[in-house]
Amino acid sequence: MTKALLQVRDLRTHFETRAGTIKAVDGISFTLERGEILGLVGESGSGKSVTGFSLIGLLDPPGRIAGGSVVFQGQELVGRSQAEMRKLRGKRIAMIFQDPAATLNPVLTIGQQMVMAVQAHGGTGQGAALELAERSLARVGIPDAATRLNAYPHEFSGGMRQRVAIAIALLHEPELIIADEPTTALDVSIQAQILAEMKTLAQESGTALIWISHDLAIVSSLADRVIVLYLGRIVEFGPVADVLRAPLHPYTRGLLDSLPAMADPGQKLRQIPGSTPSPLNVTPGCPFAPRCAHADDLCRSEPPAVGDQHHGAFCHHALPAPA
Amino acid sequence: MLGYIIQRLIQSAFVMLAMSALVFLGVYAIGNPIDVLISPDATQDIREATIRHYGLDQPLWRQYLAFLGRLLQGDLGRSFVLNIPVLHLVLSRLPATLELALTSVLIGAFIGIPLGIYAGYRPESPASKAIMAASVLGFSVPTFWVGLILILTFAVNLDWLPAGDRGPTVEIFGVGWSFLTWDGLRFLALPAINLSLFKLAMLIRLSRAGTREIMLSDTVKFARAAGLTDFTILRRHVLRLISIPLVTVFGLEFGSTLAFAVVTETIFSWPGVGKLIIDSITSLDRPVMVGYLILVAFLFVTINLVVDLTYAVLDPRLRRGRRV
């Protein structure tokens, strides 16, 4: 077996609050190969963003990694100091966020912000840094990159702003980019463009991509593999095509059924009954049991396990494959 | 941008006009200056001659128009008491207050903003808590008391610095400045520190609040994800983003210190305009009061104009908004 780019084993991220410990990420394991695109899907509160922030070491207090291991290119990241993580961030692992209007600094030019990002890793001169910035902007499809360096974020459209953010993430040609719902705030047509471009960019540069989204449809058009999260735990994983065609977990099935594109015209959209319970009192068994139509006593007492397989679900009563 | 400046200048002119009317009416209402000007046993002839000489027999609106006409020619009248031109009198005192106010605001900014940013960056650290506790003191302890304690400590007991007065000045463009010589600075130190404490406390709290808010923003998160050091983030991102409220307060504080440094000037016998206005009020020296208030209004309007123009420099979104 070739050495994976990223190996996450039993990652646990906890938030100590006055009301108790919130296990935002509760024992997640996965592997990511070089150049692979992994979709991380789940509802709000499923722990998908927290997983991303845990990997890059940017958890907001009181969040902390309570256990597990993150091995990136053979190096353990859990337990590293912020100073060591900083050297990695932007250089080897980059991250882009949901709202480009909020991530770019409104009072600095794009050029200033990009030069800062270049110079954060080693003493590149002003001229060389600007050149690098210009090339990176051109690469993400921003016309007239040299002049646009002097523009401020508000002079760009939403889609263009997100391209700028992507260009910043690409500056140092990182091995891994974590994208936290970067197209959610954009128009659908722009979404499609950016998705296609991200896919090409990742393929060209061999960059692995973790694409965090609540939208299975987006992930299906982009990712190689997908992991479905529910309440900080993995419920299903596997190649995108398999998971979409033959979901094994009732939760994944429910997510797919609630996609408008999957519904028959004229029919009401199907919903998953109930709502995500409070992360403070998770049941001992399967986290989805309280909302699951198939749940029995076993589900409520015993957490489901799964073997080492290509496509699997943490479920005692995995759904049969459709005929 | 030019259109905006012109628009602001016209606005400022209206503010000044309104201010002049208010000041004139207000001072007119406080009493008859004739009682101060001539001795009670003067003859009726002398009395009437004096009234006519100062135009006090005219109706109010005529007096105001005459005053306005002289004002536009830069003539603020003559002091009743000292019989020298008011402009001359105020301008001879203004540099002392100007340098005192500016020094104290700058001390407040250069010490307060870094301390506040630190306190906002590390809100839980003991140093930050100490800074915040000290800032509460800066707000709540009265200036005059701090002034007395400063004199007692540094002038009387330790004998490091002079207790009051302005000390030697150096003439530049015909006005004396203290900050250019070491000895002058020693005289300036205590009153400037005294005046700066409140501004220091205010700028600490303001920069802390701004920093705390911005440190949680996605901008900072994204900058961190790009691998920027926290120092660079504070210096390049946070400082720029919190600067607009800071500039506002800086301008307001500078203006109000210029106008109302009275207490500190009195305690340290600093020969500034604050003392001048108090003296003129006690002696009902009407032209000096009016002239002083007009000049203060002028300074405020100018400072606010500069502050507004600074916004446009600091925030590109405002520049664009104004062009449209």
Side-chain angles (χ1 to χ4, degrees):
Chain A
M1 197 179 117
T2 52
K3 211 157 145 210
L5 178 71
L6 180 76
Q7 270 179 305
V8 179
R9 233 177 263 120
D10 197 28
L11 180 68
R12 288 167 195 279
T13 303
H14 293 179
F15 286 76
E16 310 284 348
T17 67
R18 253 173 233 177
T21 303
I22 293 174
K23 296 176 179 173
V25 176
D26 194 13
I28 283 181
S29 307
F30 64 89
T31 334
L32 187 68
E33 305 295 335
R34 267 163 216 291
E36 192 182 16
I37 303 182
L38 173 73
L40 221 51
V41 179
E43 297 169 296
S44 312
S46 61
K48 54 192 194 304
S49 293
V50 176
T51 306
F53 285 122
S54 303
L55 298 182
I56 201 170
L58 278 180
L59 287 166
D60 283 327
R64 59 181 187 90
I65 296 182
S69 112
V70 175
V71 177
F72 175 72
Q73 294 201 311
Q75 293 171 306
E76 176 62 57
L77 298 189
V78 173
R80 282 207 177 192
S81 72
Q82 274 298 318
E84 287 173 302
M85 283 306 288
R86 184 196 71 74
K87 289 185 190 145
L88 227 62
R89 285 198 288 262
K91 180 100 181 149
R92 316 274 304 276
I93 307 178
M95 187 157 183
I96 42 183
F97 296 87
Q98 178 170 345
D99 184 4
T103 51
L104 295 171
N105 189 332
V107 300
L108 298 176
T109 62
I110 299 303
Q112 286 171 319
Q113 302 189 46
M114 294 187 84
V115 167
M116 267 196 272
V118 173
Q119 291 177 338
H121 301 284
T124 319
Q126 181 80 11
L130 275 173
E131 229 169 83
L132 193 61
E134 188 191 327
R135 245 180 296 143
S136 196
L137 281 185
R139 220 173 129 193
V140 296
I142 289 182
D144 201 10
T147 22
R148 295 303 261 165
L149 280 174
N150 296 317
Y152 289 92
H154 69 267
E155 294 168 309
F156 289 83
S157 68
M160 281 297 168
R161 267 200 290 259
Q162 194 58 286
R163 275 169 217 237
V164 171
I166 294 168
I168 292 178
L170 287 172
L171 277 174
H172 294 279
E173 313 236 316
E175 282 95 342
L176 170 63
I177 295 180
I178 301 167
D180 188 7
E181 308 224 24
T183 57
T184 309
L186 303 177
D187 289 345
V188 183
S189 56
I190 311 278
Q191 260 186 26
Q193 278 178 21
I194 295 224
L195 286 175
E197 279 163 25
M198 276 311 278
K199 198 163 183 166
T200 325
L201 286 169
Q203 275 163 359
E204 276 173 8
S205 53
T207 304
L209 204 56
I210 295 182
W211 196 274
I212 297 168
S213 178
H214 63 272
D215 191 341
L216 261 177
I218 283 185
V219 167
S220 67
S221 68
L222 177 77
D224 305 315
R225 279 193 308 136
V226 63
I227 289 176
V228 182
L229 294 178
Y230 184 76
L231 275 183
R233 291 191 220 169
I234 295 180
V235 294
E236 182 158 359
F237 57 92
V240 162
D242 295 357
V243 173
L244 286 177
R245 189 175 43 79
L248 299 173
H249 199 285
Y251 177 66
T252 318
R253 171 89 260 166
L255 276 187
L256 283 171
D257 284 344
S258 54
L259 284 180
M262 300 280 179
D264 296 321
Q267 293 290 303
K268 262 193 182 172
L269 288 181
R270 267 186 276 175
Q271 303 174 354
I272 302 174
S275 58
T276 314
S278 156
L280 282 170
N281 40 32
V282 179
T283 47
C286 168
F288 189 59
R291 293 171 75 186
C292 182
H294 310 269
D296 54 20
D297 286 346
L298 179 67
C299 297
R300 280 183 273 274
S301 58
E302 199 70 34
V306 74
D308 188 14
Q309 58 204 67
H310 214 49
H311 174 198
F314 286 84
C315 182
H316 292 300
H317 310 288
L319 302 170
Chain B
M1 198 65 205
L2 189 67
Y4 172 70
I5 296 175
I6 292 169
Q7 181 197 335
R8 280 306 315 258
L9 284 174
I10 294 171
Q11 257 176 32
S12 305
F14 275 105
V15 170
M16 287 305 298
L17 187 69
M19 185 62 197
S20 72
L22 279 175
V23 167
F24 189 81
L25 281 175
V27 174
Y28 186 89
I30 59 174
N32 190 349
I34 291 301
D35 302 338
V36 196
L37 281 169
I38 47 179
S39 70
D41 47 342
T43 65
Q44 189 63 22
D45 284 351
I46 295 181
R47 205 179 154 80
E48 271 165 18
T50 317
I51 289 175
R52 229 173 299 121
H53 175 72
Y54 286 107
L56 296 169
D57 54 342
Q58 304 276 332
L60 183 58
W61 63 271
R62 257 175 195 268
Q63 287 188 40
Y64 175 65
L65 283 184
F67 161 76
L68 210 58
R70 287 194 303 268
L71 190 64
L72 287 174
Q73 296 162 37
D75 178 10
L76 287 166
R78 291 179 88 85
S79 161
F80 286 166
V81 179
L82 300 168
N83 200 26
I84 48 174
V86 170
L87 193 66
H88 188 82
L89 190 63
V90 174
L91 286 185
S92 72
R93 299 287 203 98
L94 198 60
T97 299
L98 203 63
E99 75 177 342
L100 180 62
L102 195 60
T103 313
S104 71
V105 185
L106 287 178
I107 292 175
F110 278 101
I111 299 179
I113 295 174
L115 285 181
I117 290 180
Y118 177 79
Y121 168 62
R122 284 275 143 84
E124 300 301 328
S125 84
S128 301
K129 286 182 176 156
I131 292 170
M132 293 323 286
S135 82
V136 173
L137 283 183
F139 265 124
S140 46
V141 178
T143 310
F144 75 89
W145 186 79
V146 176
L148 294 176
I149 295 296
L150 283 175
I151 292 178
L152 200 62
T153 314
F154 294 100
V156 179
N157 289 335
L158 294 171
D159 200 18
W160 288 352
L161 294 165
D165 245 332
R166 195 169 176 209
T169 54
V170 178
E171 292 256 328
I172 289 184
F173 306 124
V175 273
W177 301 98
S178 313
F179 71 96
L180 294 164
T181 60
W182 174 244
D183 215 31
L185 278 178
R186 290 184 62 234
F187 278 91
L188 184 60
L190 284 187
I193 289 169
N194 187 203
L195 263 183
S196 72
L197 288 179
F198 183 81
K199 300 159 222 325
L200 191 69
M202 178 124 84
L203 287 168
I204 284 179
R205 299 198 83 90
L206 210 62
S207 5
R208 181 183 109 112
T211 305
R212 283 200 76 170
E213 196 183 313
I214 296 197
M215 285 313 283
L216 297 175
S217 70
D218 279 357
T219 304
V220 167
K221 239 179 182 176
F222 187 63
R224 279 191 166 145
L228 266 62
T229 59
D230 281 3
F231 183 69
T232 310
I233 290 176
L234 289 174
R235 198 170 50 92
R236 300 285 309 272
H237 283 290
V238 175
L239 187 60
R240 277 300 295 273
L241 287 167
I242 64 172
S243 57
I244 283 193
L246 293 183
V247 168
T248 313
V249 167
F250 185 92
L252 285 177
E253 277 299 306
F254 181 47
S256 63
T257 312
L258 274 180
F260 313 114
V262 184
V263 175
T264 299
E265 286 185 357
T266 311
I267 293 173
F268 291 92
S269 350
W270 189 262
V273 283
K275 277 193 71 179
L276 179 69
I277 182 73
I278 293 294
D279 292 346
S280 69
I281 289 172
T282 36
S283 58
L284 274 181
D285 196 345
R286 233 154 79 155
V288 177
M289 280 188 268
V290 174
Y292 169 81
L293 289 174
I294 294 288
L295 270 180
V296 164
F298 178 72
L299 283 172
F300 257 95
V301 166
T302 313
I303 290 171
N304 275 318
L305 186 66
V306 172
V307 164
D308 276 359
L309 295 179
T310 314
Y311 289 167
V313 174
L314 289 174
D315 195 332
R317 288 167 296 184
L318 297 178
R319 259 174 266 165
R320 188 170 125 124
R322 276 160 190 172
R323 235 184 275 133
V324 175

